[in-house]
Amino acid sequence: MSIVKNYLSLVKFSHTIFAMPFAMIGFFLGIQYINSIPFISSNYVVWDDLRVIGHAYLNSMNFMFSFILVVICMVTARSAAMAFNRYLDRNFDAKNPRTAIREIPKGIISANNALIFTLVSCILFLVTCFFINKICFYLSPVALFVILFYSYTKRFTPLCHLVLGLGLSLAPIGAYLAVTGKFDLLPILFSFAVIFWVSGFDIIYALQDIEFDKSQNLYSIPTALGKIKSLRVSEILHLLSAVCVIAAGIYGDFHWLYWLGIAVFVGMLIYQHSIVKPNDLSRVNIAFMTANGIASVVFGLLVISDLLIL
């Protein structure tokens, strides 16, 4: 059990709460789309009844199978990205007092084992996509490239936060594709919301490492712009995220539960900016984990409830 715990810690499994709710939103949007397609029945009543029962049974089985596959994709893709990030940054992590306690610098998990874990996670992701549908399988290498490439970006561009946001933004689109096999505007709007939301809070998180990143020639918005301007950029990105979820609500013709979710989501964005100041970073972790965790989980639950109940 301690080995499992160590690997869960390596990939920060608890941080799955950031992307998983948006993947579930994409999944249930796909289910709603499938259910909106009319079922063409026959002219024979008895045969029609049997077909309806069989259709409903197959739908429920497909729902469960697809749901399990989407969850596996989310977990394996994110695990691959995090483990690779830890592997690639192991030397930097060892030098940084804030990250020196991580599993690879402390010798809890070897660098080779972290790399093997990354490769296994990538293979499981690709295999799972194969069993979903063709479009997900064909696009799976692209998704892997994006989420793995992020780990290199801090070496050459301060826009690394946007690449991280792009990686997590694949969740709602990917889950929707898993169910429907097609692209649609609504999940894309949610994906843009994720890009801006994640990029914004990652900038806040990066404020902690400005001096270290400068000493190691690593790039970030905070090292390029300083604390005050970086917080302004984060605020703009979070404003754009709010605009996207509002646009999705209007376009998707959602009901009151959705708008309650937006109130919580936007409220948590405002809250994290109210507690993080250029001269006081003591509550960055509260802003990063607590505020964004609440924003994601509560928003996801309310959106899904809106789709299923109203």
Side-chain angles (χ1 to χ4, degrees):
M1 289 301 294
S2 61
I3 295 177
V4 173
K5 184 178 179 181
N6 289 337
Y7 278 96
L8 290 177
S9 178
L10 175 74
V11 300
K12 291 292 182 184
F13 188 76
S14 59
H15 291 185
T16 305
I17 63 171
F18 295 144
M20 186 65 79
F22 281 91
M24 293 299 100
I25 289 173
F27 179 82
F28 283 100
L29 283 173
I31 293 296
Q32 185 189 54
Y33 172 81
I34 293 297
N35 289 339
S36 70
I37 301 174
F39 174 67
I40 302 173
S41 62
S42 71
N43 295 322
Y44 300 96
V45 176
V46 175
W47 177 239
D48 183 58
D49 289 343
L50 290 174
R51 287 183 69 203
V52 170
I53 293 171
H55 186 71
Y57 175 75
L58 288 175
N59 270 351
S60 64
M61 292 300 292
N62 287 335
F63 168 84
M64 288 303 300
F65 186 58
S66 297
F67 183 84
I68 292 169
L69 292 179
V70 167
V71 170
I72 293 174
C73 278
M74 280 296 303
V75 172
T76 53
R78 193 188 168 282
S79 296
M82 284 297 297
F84 186 65
N85 181 265
R86 295 292 187 257
Y87 169 80
L88 203 64
D89 285 357
R90 62 192 185 279
N91 293 328
F92 294 124
D93 287 345
K95 298 174 184 177
N96 188 343
R98 187 181 66 81
T99 59
I101 59 172
R102 288 175 176 170
E103 288 68 26
I104 297 178
K106 287 196 70 175
I108 297 172
I109 295 175
S110 70
N112 285 340
N113 284 343
L115 185 58
I116 291 170
F117 181 84
T118 300
L119 294 173
V120 171
S121 296
C122 289
I123 292 170
L124 289 174
F125 174 74
L126 294 171
V127 171
T128 304
C129 288
F130 175 81
F131 285 105
I132 292 177
N133 56 40
K134 286 184 178 180
I135 191 169
C136 285
F137 180 63
Y138 293 154
L139 292 176
S140 58
V142 178
L144 280 180
F145 173 79
V146 172
I147 62 177
L148 296 179
F149 178 66
Y150 157 71
S151 295
Y152 289 100
T153 55
K154 65 187 72 175
R155 289 159 170 78
F156 63 87
T157 176
L159 300 180
C160 53
H161 316 283
L162 290 169
V163 180
L164 176 63
L166 176 63
L168 292 183
S169 77
L170 300 177
I173 293 178
Y176 188 85
L177 282 173
V179 179
T180 67
K182 64 189 292 289
F183 288 96
D184 259 321
L185 178 59
L186 195 52
I188 291 175
L189 285 173
F190 282 112
S191 289
F192 273 107
V194 173
I195 290 176
F196 298 132
W197 170 54
V198 172
S199 302
F201 75 62
D202 192 56
I203 289 172
I204 294 175
Y205 192 72
L207 291 171
Q208 302 174 101
D209 294 326
I210 289 180
E211 298 307 320
F212 177 79
D213 288 347
K214 286 181 178 179
S215 71
Q216 301 298 314
N217 294 317
L218 295 175
Y219 292 80
S220 70
I221 293 292
T223 59
L225 301 180
K227 294 178 181 179
I228 296 175
K229 290 182 179 179
S230 295
L231 284 172
R232 298 295 83 79
V233 172
S234 177
E235 289 171 358
I236 292 170
L237 289 169
H238 282 163
L239 176 61
L240 291 173
S241 181
V243 169
C244 287
V245 291
I246 291 170
I250 296 171
Y251 180 80
D253 195 24
F254 285 95
H255 306 91
W256 66 272
L257 282 174
Y258 181 90
W259 296 103
L260 179 60
I262 283 185
V264 174
F265 185 78
V266 174
M268 287 297 100
L269 296 183
I270 294 171
Y271 171 70
Q272 64 185 281
H273 286 283
S274 72
I275 64 173
V276 177
K277 305 297 180 183
N279 58 350
D280 182 11
L281 302 179
S282 62
R283 292 189 283 183
V284 164
N285 285 324
I286 295 175
F288 175 73
M289 191 66 192
T290 306
N292 289 301
I294 293 172
S296 180
V297 172
V298 175
F299 179 69
L301 288 174
L302 288 172
V303 174
I304 292 168
S305 297
D306 193 287
L307 289 169
L308 296 179
I309 298 172
L310 302 179

